[in-house]
């Protein structure tokens, strides 16, 4: 695995863990204020994360 592929993998791993943690916290706290706002921000961040996933697939597929 190249250094770039490893970097992309770690970024994906951290982001997905963070997103799951945010969702768990909202569920634990009975979906308090700001939930929809944070979901919209999460969606935007997920789009960037998917782009990184595409880059990782290309990188390891070389």
């Amino acid at each position: 695995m190249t250094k770039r592929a490893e970097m992309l993998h770690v970024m994906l791993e951290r982001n997905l863990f963070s997103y799951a943690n945010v969702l768990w916290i909202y569920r634990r706290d009975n979906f308090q204020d700001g939930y929809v706002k944070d979901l919209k921000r999460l969606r935007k961040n997920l789009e960037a994360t998917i782009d990184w996933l595409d880059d990782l697939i290309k990188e390891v597929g070389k």
Side-chain angles (χ1 to χ4, degrees):
M1 181 178 280
T2 65
K3 286 288 187 188
R4 183 172 190 279
E6 187 176 346
M7 176 199 66
L8 288 167
H9 176 91
V10 170
M11 287 173 30
L12 285 166
E13 182 181 351
R14 288 179 181 167
N15 281 4
L16 293 173
F17 176 78
S18 295
Y19 302 154
N21 193 42
V22 166
L23 292 172
W24 179 83
I25 289 169
Y26 267 111
R27 184 169 51 90
R28 180 196 68 191
D29 295 343
N30 294 318
F31 306 96
Q32 298 294 322
D33 294 337
Y35 180 61
V36 173
K37 179 183 170 187
D38 284 344
L39 284 178
K40 289 178 181 179
R41 186 173 19 184
L42 176 64
R43 178 177 165 73
K44 184 177 179 180
N45 290 340
L46 278 171
E47 290 170 356
T49 301
I50 290 169
D51 290 341
W52 293 339
L53 177 59
D54 290 341
D55 289 348
L56 177 59
I57 291 168
K58 289 176 189 173
E59 185 72 26
V60 296
K62 290 181 182 178

